[in-house]
């Protein structure tokens, strides 16, 4: 269990209960105590939901970097956009509705999915102009109207609730509204970081992912944003 549950004078930080992956939790990477340049074959979930991401093939393992992310010089995982990915092959651990936060920095050499939560639900990022889209299910895609600055360290957060419009945010500000179709997405399949099943790999740096079961309140979302921004000094 992570130690990111505490009270501030104004806001309560909710306990992560669906998925929590962080390059800063070294004891949950590989066999523990990774060093700079290590290929990552295991990235453990600290939410208690046991959604651990693995990669058994050496040439597909991303690289652990012990510093360099954000103004606080935090660790991150580097995906090369060629064949790197980490996957969770089991079903039934992730569900809709959820509230998600991802701290990352996108590369430019390929279009691809930095985070795929099933074969019908993923984040899509363009190759040169860093537009971002979210695929909610077959035929249902929302794409940012203008290219946001994803080439620098950033925090994106969004809520996924079937058939209901929600905001997709960048660094605490509205980036686009999303409107998923009823019945989508289906999170019953395997999840992949750095690629979607059958799709192009994505080059990017991953610092942290937090996913919550259900829809957080506005004050809880603000508390998580503030906690992540304080941790990484992103914006």
């Amino acid at each position: 269990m992570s130690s990111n549950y505490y009270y501030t004078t104004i806001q309560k930080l909710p306990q992560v209960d669906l998925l929590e992956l962080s390059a800063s939790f070294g004891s949950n990477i590989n066999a523990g105590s990774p060093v700079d340049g290590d290929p990552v074959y295991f990235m453990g979930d600290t939410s208690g939901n046991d959604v651990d991401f693995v990669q058994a093939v050496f040439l597909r393992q991303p690289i652990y970097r012990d510093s360099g992310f954000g103004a606080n010089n935090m660790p991150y995982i580097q995906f090369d956009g060629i064949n790197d990915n980490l996957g969770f092959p089991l079903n039934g651990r992730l569900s809709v509705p959820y509230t998600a936060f991802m701290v990352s920095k996108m590369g430019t050499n390929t279009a691809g999915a930095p985070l795929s939560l099933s074969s019908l639900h993923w984040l899509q990022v363009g190759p040169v102009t860093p537009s971002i889209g979210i695929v909610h299910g077959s035929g249902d895609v929302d794409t940012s109207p203008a290219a946001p600055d994803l080439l620098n360290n950033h925090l994106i957060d969004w809520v996924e609730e079937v058939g209901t419009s929600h905001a997709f945010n960048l660094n605490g500000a509205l980036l686009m509204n999303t409107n998923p179709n009823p019945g989508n997405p289906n999170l019953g399949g395997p999840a992949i970081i750095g690629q979607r099943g059958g799709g192009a790999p994505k080059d990017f740096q991953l610092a942290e992912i937090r996913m919550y079961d259900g829809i957080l309140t506005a004050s809880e979302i603000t508390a998580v944003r503030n906690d992540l921004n304080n941790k990484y000094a992103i914006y």
Side-chain angles (χ1 to χ4, degrees):
M1 182 179 295
S2 68
S3 60
N4 62 359
Y5 183 83
Y6 61 86
Y7 288 89
T8 68
T9 56
I10 300 175
Q11 299 156 322
K12 176 182 176 182
L13 186 67
Q15 177 68 43
V16 185
D17 56 2
L18 195 60
L19 174 65
E20 184 175 34
L21 302 171
S22 178
S24 63
F25 300 157
S27 61
N28 294 92
I29 296 175
N30 295 346
S33 302
V35 300
D36 187 62
D38 276 354
V40 176
Y41 59 84
F42 177 87
M43 193 171 186
D45 170 29
T46 56
S47 74
N49 202 25
D50 296 326
V51 186
D52 299 326
F53 281 72
V54 299
Q55 177 53 263
V57 179
F58 177 76
L59 292 178
R60 296 181 180 177
Q61 293 168 358
I63 301 300
Y64 171 79
R65 295 300 181 190
D66 65 0
S67 61
F69 192 95
N72 289 339
N73 210 30
M74 298 293 288
Y76 65 93
I77 308 297
Q78 178 70 60
F79 293 79
D80 66 7
I82 300 173
N83 55 11
D84 288 356
N85 66 68
L86 294 168
F88 176 73
L90 303 179
N91 297 335
R93 300 288 177 85
L94 301 176
S95 60
V96 175
Y98 69 77
T99 306
F101 301 79
M102 187 166 75
V103 181
S104 56
K105 177 182 179 180
M106 301 302 168
T108 61
N109 67 333
T110 62
L115 177 63
S116 176
L117 297 174
S118 78
S119 60
L120 293 178
H121 184 49
W122 67 87
L123 301 182
Q124 188 76 23
V125 179
V128 179
T129 55
S131 61
I132 191 166
I134 182 168
V135 179
H136 307 279
S138 180
D140 185 12
V141 183
D142 288 312
T143 303
S144 59
D149 182 12
L150 300 175
L151 300 179
N152 288 313
N153 305 324
H154 60 266
L155 166 65
I156 55 177
D157 67 83
W158 70 100
V159 173
E160 187 73 22
E161 182 180 14
V162 174
T164 303
S165 180
H166 286 285
F168 191 105
N169 304 292
L170 172 67
N171 293 342
L174 175 66
L175 179 61
M176 62 179 170
N177 288 310
T178 66
N179 189 20
N181 289 327
N184 286 319
N186 176 8
L187 297 188
I192 306 173
I193 301 172
Q195 186 177 4
R196 68 179 177 89
K202 179 58 192 165
D203 61 319
F204 80 112
Q205 298 174 3
L206 174 66
E208 190 156 334
I209 296 172
R210 296 183 191 177
M211 292 181 63
Y212 295 82
D213 187 11
I215 303 170
L216 298 185
T217 66
S219 62
E220 287 175 327
I221 289 174
T222 298
V224 177
R225 285 176 184 161
N226 289 343
D227 183 63
L228 288 169
N229 193 33
N230 288 337
K231 180 176 181 178
Y232 293 99
I234 310 164
Y235 61 94

